[in-house]
Amino acid sequence: MAVSGIVLVLFLIAHMLGNLKVFAGAASFDGYAHWLRDIGKPALPGVWFLWILRAGLVVAVVAHIWAATVLALRARAARPVQYAHRKKIQGSYAARTMRWGGVIILLFVIYHLLDLTTGHLNPVGDPTRPFANVVADFAPERWYVTLFYTVAVVALGFHLRHGMFSALRSLGQQTPGGERRARAVALGFAVVICAGFLVVPFAVLTGLVS
Ligand code: HEM
């Protein structure tokens, strides 16, 4: 769970930083996207490196879902007789939001790939012009797309906050003070990631990027 989670978090940090290039203009953003396809050349043929990264991401996502399923089944097997009256303790509430949050994020990623990677659901839909795709996507008249992205990114933020908190606690922050620190670091991290992602659609929506 943790190893695949770390891989996905590293991807999110890199993706969020890359997205911020939108503020440097079309040439910089599109140039960055083209550069991603050229990494490894000439040792590797074109876009091979990107496909290796994509394969790594798919492995991480599958491992993350698989580990979550194994852990959930193990937890259920440990208590074959269900609670007659299940108290809403914090742990089970967090687990439930993690599951549904994960499903929302997965559905969002599928939509997002069809939107900004393949272009099928994008008004411009030209994979060679990611800046134009982003600007068309979050145009003011398509405010509902920004709303949908916002819901998904906030769900991602909750997921990250709880995942990061659990990971930090497993790494030894188990005293009351350590838990407080882990909670603060996890919250700060989730807020930075959410803000870093959301600033792009909102910059387009408000006309700051056009
Ligand atoms: C909210 C702001 C976001 C914007 C503006 C954005 C923008 C983009 C763009 C323009 C691409 C295509 C890049 C290219 O073809 O070179 C892309 C790809 C991608 N994005 Fe996002 N993204 C956002 C959020 C997210 C989030 C929250 C996730 C994950 C939970 C995510 C996951 C991905 C993935 C997996 C790809 C495909 C990478 C590839 O294989 O080429 N994105 N995004």
Side-chain angles (χ1 to χ4, degrees):
M1 195 88 243
V3 172
S4 54
I6 290 168
V7 171
L8 295 171
V9 161
L10 290 177
F11 165 75
L12 284 174
I13 295 172
H15 186 21
M16 185 204 81
L17 293 175
N19 282 355
L20 295 178
K21 279 195 170 287
V22 86
F23 292 101
S28 173
F29 193 68
D30 289 354
Y32 167 66
H34 294 143
W35 169 78
L36 279 177
R37 283 152 180 80
D38 281 348
I39 306 176
K41 266 189 188 172
L44 292 172
V47 295
W48 265 51
F49 183 81
L50 188 62
W51 276 108
I52 293 169
L53 280 186
R54 285 170 173 166
L57 266 185
V58 171
V59 170
V61 169
V62 171
H64 207 62
I65 296 170
W66 176 77
T69 311
V70 168
L71 286 176
L73 291 177
R74 206 181 284 169
R76 189 180 298 174
R79 171 125 202 139
V81 181
Q82 292 300 309
Y83 288 107
H85 201 77
R86 193 173 180 181
K87 272 198 287 179
K88 285 201 169 176
I89 53 168
Q90 199 206 2
S92 66
Y93 169 76
R96 270 203 302 276
T97 32
M98 287 309 269
R99 254 169 246 169
W100 281 109
V103 172
I104 293 172
I105 296 163
L106 188 63
L107 292 176
F108 161 74
V109 170
I110 294 169
Y111 172 86
H112 182 52
L113 291 177
L114 293 170
D115 176 16
L116 286 170
T117 298
T118 68
H120 287 92
L121 298 178
N122 189 276
V124 171
D126 180 350
T128 63
R129 292 161 58 219
F131 185 89
N133 294 337
V134 168
V135 168
D137 214 14
F138 304 115
E141 63 276 15
R142 283 168 53 89
W143 55 269
Y144 48 87
V145 174
T146 298
L147 181 64
F148 172 56
Y149 269 73
T150 305
V151 170
V153 169
V154 169
L156 174 70
F158 277 107
H159 197 85
L160 281 177
R161 187 183 70 144
H162 183 71
M164 179 70 90
F165 170 66
S166 304
L168 289 173
R169 215 176 30 178
S170 306
L171 286 173
Q173 300 295 322
Q174 284 156 359
T175 59
E179 285 214 355
R180 259 197 310 281
R181 267 194 306 276
R183 211 176 285 283
V185 169
L187 176 64
F189 176 74
V191 167
V192 169
I193 294 286
C194 277
F197 272 120
L198 288 180
V199 73
V200 173
F202 279 92
V204 176
L205 184 77
T206 55
L208 193 66
V209 167
S210 57

